[in-house]
Amino acid sequence: MKYKLLLLITICTILVLIFPQVPGTSKLTQVFRLTNEPNDVITQGTSGTALTINISFGDKEATELIKSLEAPYPLLLIDVDWAERFPETVELIKKKNIPTGLLGHAGMEYEQDIPLLIEQIKKYETIFDSKPLWFRSMDEQFPYNLRAALWESQVNALGSTRIWEGGESPPVIEGEILSLPHHRNKRISIQDLKKLQENRDIKTLEDVLFSMTIKTKKIPK
């Protein structure tokens, strides 16, 4: 019995040494494809609410928004052209360890221009030192060529359950993924964001998805 226990401890120790768990990382960051085929777009989880914020505009306003964020953090979908213009704000995001993904252009722009996607992924990697786990098109449209290219690049297509642009908080949908804008012409206020958080069970995106199961929207070719 003692021999078996010693053997088990030895095996566990070897596994920990071979596959160390880096502090601050999660099981989700070690997984790429969360769907079974390129026709799937993730739109909803199982429990709680995940907030996602699309950022393509702003200097001081964006910085103030990011400073106001508290854990559990929303996922920030980042326009790489914006990120290149405001490296200090990007450093703040990194310092707070806020999760990020890639925000692209309108979906149909990729139908005949997949090199645009590849270029944006490379820019994201340069800025954030890692490949994006998530991609969302600006209008949440995902034509087949885009989905297929994301699949090949091992990046997940992330839609949302609902887009919310401020004002009265919408009814709660369990497992919802809310999309919030921070663009030139549309952006939520910090006050609206805090009101939204007050009446919801806010979780990280991974907690909403891994509660399990992930709900997807199948889009035909």
Side-chain angles (χ1 to χ4, degrees):
M1 181 67 180
K2 289 183 179 179
Y3 173 76
K4 290 183 179 180
L5 181 59
L6 180 61
L7 180 61
L8 179 60
I9 293 173
T10 302
I11 292 173
C12 291
T13 302
I14 292 172
L15 289 174
V16 168
L17 290 174
I18 295 175
F19 305 106
Q21 179 67 36
V22 180
T25 62
S26 66
K27 58 190 175 184
L28 188 58
T29 60
Q30 301 169 28
V31 178
F32 282 101
R33 290 190 181 123
L34 302 182
T35 58
N36 295 322
E37 54 182 305
N39 279 357
D40 291 335
V41 176
I42 296 170
T43 60
Q44 192 173 339
T46 302
S47 68
T49 296
L51 302 181
T52 64
I53 305 177
N54 303 335
I55 301 181
S56 67
F57 174 80
D59 182 5
K60 293 181 180 180
E61 289 176 329
T63 299
E64 289 304 312
L65 172 65
I66 291 162
K67 284 182 178 179
S68 74
L69 298 178
E70 298 177 355
Y73 291 124
L75 174 73
L76 304 182
L77 281 303
I78 303 292
D79 177 285
V80 288
D81 293 333
W82 172 85
E84 287 180 327
R85 291 195 299 273
F86 301 106
E88 292 183 359
T89 308
V90 170
E91 286 306 311
L92 176 60
I93 293 171
K94 293 179 180 179
K95 184 177 180 180
K96 295 188 69 170
N97 201 28
I98 300 174
T100 61
L102 174 58
L103 179 67
H105 296 178
M108 289 306 297
E109 289 190 34
Y110 300 95
E111 188 65 13
Q112 303 298 327
D113 192 6
I114 293 305
L116 171 61
L117 173 67
I118 304 306
E119 178 186 356
Q120 290 173 331
I121 291 175
K122 289 180 178 178
K123 282 186 178 182
Y124 180 98
E125 288 185 84
T126 300
I127 295 167
F128 291 99
D129 302 316
S130 64
K131 178 185 288 187
L133 178 60
W134 308 103
F135 173 90
R136 174 181 288 161
S137 61
M138 184 69 76
D139 56 1
E140 297 196 22
Q141 298 299 309
F142 297 89
Y144 179 77
N145 285 351
L146 173 57
R147 299 196 311 276
L150 289 169
W151 175 262
E152 289 299 319
S153 298
Q154 295 186 317
V155 179
N156 292 288
L158 180 67
S160 68
T161 312
R162 178 161 45 196
I163 297 171
W164 183 70
E165 298 178 351
E168 185 177 349
S169 298
V172 176
I173 299 175
E174 199 64 26
E176 63 190 351
I177 300 172
L178 296 184
S179 174
L180 286 58
H182 194 86
H183 307 310
R184 179 183 295 274
N185 298 321
K186 291 181 181 179
R187 50 187 180 273
I188 58 161
S189 67
I190 294 174
Q191 291 74 23
D192 276 348
L193 176 59
K194 289 188 179 300
K195 287 180 182 178
L196 181 71
Q197 292 170 318
E198 287 172 358
N199 62 10
R200 278 173 154 74
D201 178 20
I202 302 296
K203 298 181 179 181
T204 64
L205 178 62
E206 69 171 76
D207 285 340
V208 167
L209 295 180
F210 277 90
S211 291
M212 204 85 186
T213 53
I214 298 170
K215 294 184 180 180
T216 62
K217 178 180 180 181
K218 287 190 177 294
I219 305 176
K221 293 185 181 182

